[in-house]
Amino acid sequence: MSGPTSESRFVDSFETRISDIDSVDIDKLHALSMSVAWPHRREDWQFLREFGQGIAAVDEIGRILGSAMWFPYDGRFATIGMVVTSPRLQANGAGQWLMGHALDQVAGRNLGLNATRAARRLYLSLGFVQEAPVFQCQGEAILPPDVELPPGAEVRGVEADDLEAIATLDRLAFGADRRLLLSRLLANSKGVVLIRAGRIEAFSLCRRFGRGHVIGPVVAGNDADAIAVVHPHAIEHAGAFLRLDTREKGGTFADFLSRCGLPIFDIVTTMSLGYPWLPVPGRRGTHEPKTYALVSQALG
């Protein structure tokens, strides 16, 4: 960035200013995301505000015209999310203005985000690089077929003292320490872990979100282990709306999602600014864990 972004601008003859996202009415944030057909509930916004930081564009009569959030995981990495502009402002540079403020706040960090089709051009203009597609798989879940547990594995529900092992596994897959986020997710989620030789080698969390429930994160070393920890959630929510966001385009895990009634609904793009976010294809070790399902498109 060449310098600090202007704190205000005129939109449709109204002066619009930047405000801290914690200072604005959460019901207005909910209305903003509804205006662009995003599924976030009021409670989903509140969770994001409790974990992250952000800004909102507010005009002089109190309307919220846009938002942008960032979620720092350490001094080196953060994700960007909830970059929303009301439909009438999307053509006049409001997104670039909001992103300018967000980038000012996270200067010096490597950044990752998941871009919608509509926003991809904006992020490319800011220097972000495309890395991989994310497949938003969702629908009314159907009862999945029975699956055999992988050799030597057992599954059980997550317990409170599993946080350390889960956070370590997640850090290897995600590339940054998300212990605080995982701690908060555990309080609001139902989880499953896969254990082999007394050690947690895969896990999944499932929580209320949007129109129903979302499964994520899911971390495992291979497709079979990932399926084993997702399978119980698919059974529990059969007949109800279920969502899972994954970078797995093909293979047995993607096939399993289809058999659970979760076809691809939309595709977004993982992008990065600074150091690449995702491992270089082909350099991941055979037994290293990877992220099979995102927490959300904002949190990665």
Side-chain angles (χ1 to χ4, degrees):
M1 303 296 294
S2 58
T5 307
S6 171
E7 290 292 333
S8 67
R9 63 183 290 155
F10 280 89
V11 177
D12 292 348
S13 77
F14 288 101
E15 185 176 21
T16 303
R17 294 188 173 276
I18 293 293
S19 297
D20 188 287
I21 204 162
D22 288 332
S23 70
V24 300
D25 188 336
I26 198 165
D27 290 323
K28 292 183 178 180
L29 289 171
H30 183 216
L32 175 67
S33 57
M34 288 179 63
S35 75
V36 294
W38 285 17
H40 299 71
R41 303 169 302 148
R42 185 183 185 279
E43 294 84 354
D44 301 323
W45 271 104
Q46 185 58 36
F47 178 83
L48 292 167
R49 290 206 306 184
E50 289 172 358
F51 180 70
Q53 303 168 52
I55 51 176
V58 184
D59 73 11
E60 57 193 84
I61 59 174
R63 295 177 298 185
I64 298 179
L65 306 181
S67 66
M69 296 193 70
W70 54 94
F71 306 91
Y73 293 109
D74 52 34
R76 298 173 297 170
F77 181 74
T79 58
I80 300 285
M82 303 310 293
V83 181
V84 188
T85 54
S86 64
R88 68 190 184 88
L89 299 185
Q90 290 174 0
N92 74 356
Q96 185 131 9
W97 179 55
L98 283 163
M99 276 299 297
H101 278 282
L103 294 180
D104 287 345
Q105 297 300 316
V106 292
R109 283 187 169 94
N110 298 308
L111 303 175
L113 56 79
N114 293 297
T116 62
R117 289 184 180 90
R120 199 176 306 152
R121 182 177 298 180
L122 165 64
Y123 299 131
L124 287 170
S125 74
L126 294 169
F128 283 82
V129 176
Q130 300 184 81
E131 292 199 19
V134 175
F135 304 97
Q136 181 180 322
C137 302
Q138 66 182 50
E140 183 175 310
I142 60 177
L143 194 65
D146 291 336
V147 297
E148 291 187 11
L149 283 177
E154 60 178 297
V155 296
R156 63 163 171 79
V158 168
E159 299 173 355
D161 58 2
D162 290 333
L163 176 60
E164 182 69 26
I166 285 174
T168 298
L169 196 65
D170 181 76
R171 179 174 52 79
L172 292 171
F174 185 78
D177 189 347
R178 298 197 292 181
R179 189 180 313 268
L180 178 59
L181 172 61
L182 290 166
S183 176
R184 295 188 181 190
L185 285 171
L186 285 172
N188 296 285
S189 304
K190 189 166 186 178
V192 176
V193 294
L194 179 144
I195 299 173
R196 190 176 282 113
R199 178 181 175 182
I200 292 177
E201 295 192 352
F203 75 90
S204 67
L205 300 179
C206 181
R207 70 189 189 281
R208 279 281 291 121
F209 174 82
R211 295 169 54 190
H213 283 75
V214 62
I215 301 173
V218 176
V219 173
N222 56 66
D223 284 17
D225 286 3
I227 290 169
V229 293
V230 169
H231 188 259
H233 300 307
I235 291 175
E236 180 173 358
H237 297 292
F241 185 85
L242 190 61
R243 171 174 169 175
L244 184 151
D245 294 351
T246 183
R247 298 188 182 96
E248 299 300 302
K249 183 177 182 179
T252 55
F253 183 76
D255 291 344
F256 172 75
L257 296 181
S258 295
R259 287 185 284 139
C260 292
L262 305 182
I264 296 172
F265 172 77
D266 196 10
I267 301 174
V268 300
T269 304
T270 294
M271 305 181 74
S272 61
L273 182 65
Y275 194 79
W277 179 2
L278 305 180
V280 176
R283 293 189 184 177
R284 176 179 171 270
T286 305
H287 302 293
E288 291 180 14
K290 69 175 179 177
T291 301
Y292 275 84
L294 283 60
V295 175
S296 71
Q297 291 181 14
L299 297 167

